[in-house]
Amino acid sequence: TGVQTCALPIFRHVAAANDVVVTCGAGGVGKTSVAAALAATAAMQLDAKVLVLTVDPARRLATAMGLGELGNTESRVTTGPFGGAEPRGELWAAMLDTAAGWDELIRRHAPDPATRDAILANPLYRTITATFVQSHDYIAMERLHDLHASGRFDLIVRSEEHTSELQ
């Protein structure tokens, strides 16, 4: 289509730079749908490994891509958005889970297993990570940073959750 033809040079440039594309805006404008379409188009047209990532707990990304479930771990998408066509690249998808993200951060930075286990079992830790203002935003950026720095994906397309300050 015309959209795919126009977007292809941009996708090539962004994927070659191992970059991130973020869709953002007010609620209900189609951020998740656009992110899913961009990622699926990039995977169809480019010989690249593409990750589409959402922080929206409403699971709209799975619905937009015709998938059953998404989790905190990246999963390869082999059906759904391709309509039976064979993509040139790979499409992966994940939904960030705040609690799992905090737990992973503790596992990575705890000095030893005993400290790790004590923190993870602590009720105060659970309360703070579940209710701390901007906790979700922080862990989403931490996870995005880790995924980008890993170099496992040529292109990451992130669907930002509702951005009230843009209204």
Side-chain angles (χ1 to χ4, degrees), residues 66-115:
L67 304 173
E69 288 289 319
L70 284 178
N72 197 52
T73 303
E74 307 80 50
S75 300
R76 176 109 184 252
V77 178
T78 56
T79 59
F82 303 119
E86 187 66 33
R88 292 181 66 197
E90 296 179 12
L91 179 60
W92 294 72
M95 182 192 79
L96 296 178
D97 177 317
T98 303
W102 278 109
D103 291 353
E104 178 56 34
L105 190 68
I106 296 301
R107 285 185 190 96
R108 191 171 353 142
H109 293 290
D112 55 67
T115 303

Side-chain angles (χ1 to χ4, degrees), residues 14-20 48-53 73-76 90-94 143-144 146-157:
V14 172
N18 187 320
D19 243 330
V20 176
K49 193 170 178 182
V50 181
L51 172 66
V52 60
L53 184 63
T73 303
E74 307 80 50
S75 300
R76 176 109 184 252
E90 296 179 12
L91 179 60
W92 294 72
R143 181 94 161 97
L144 179 62
D146 289 346
L147 286 165
H148 184 258
S150 77
R152 293 185 345 220
F153 299 98
D154 301 303
L155 174 63
I156 298 173
V157 181

Side-chain angles (χ1 to χ4, degrees), residues 1-66:
T1 67
V3 172
Q4 290 175 341
T5 304
C6 292
L8 196 53
I10 295 168
F11 284 140
R12 282 192 184 115
H13 174 73
V14 172
N18 187 320
D19 243 330
V20 176
V21 173
V22 178
T23 60
C24 58
V29 299
K31 299 175 294 292
T32 301
S33 297
V34 169
L38 287 171
T41 300
M44 280 298 296
Q45 301 293 325
L46 302 175
D47 185 19
K49 193 170 178 182
V50 181
L51 172 66
V52 60
L53 184 63
T54 185
V55 296
D56 185 358
R59 302 189 184 278
R60 290 183 188 100
L61 180 62
T63 302
M65 299 188 76

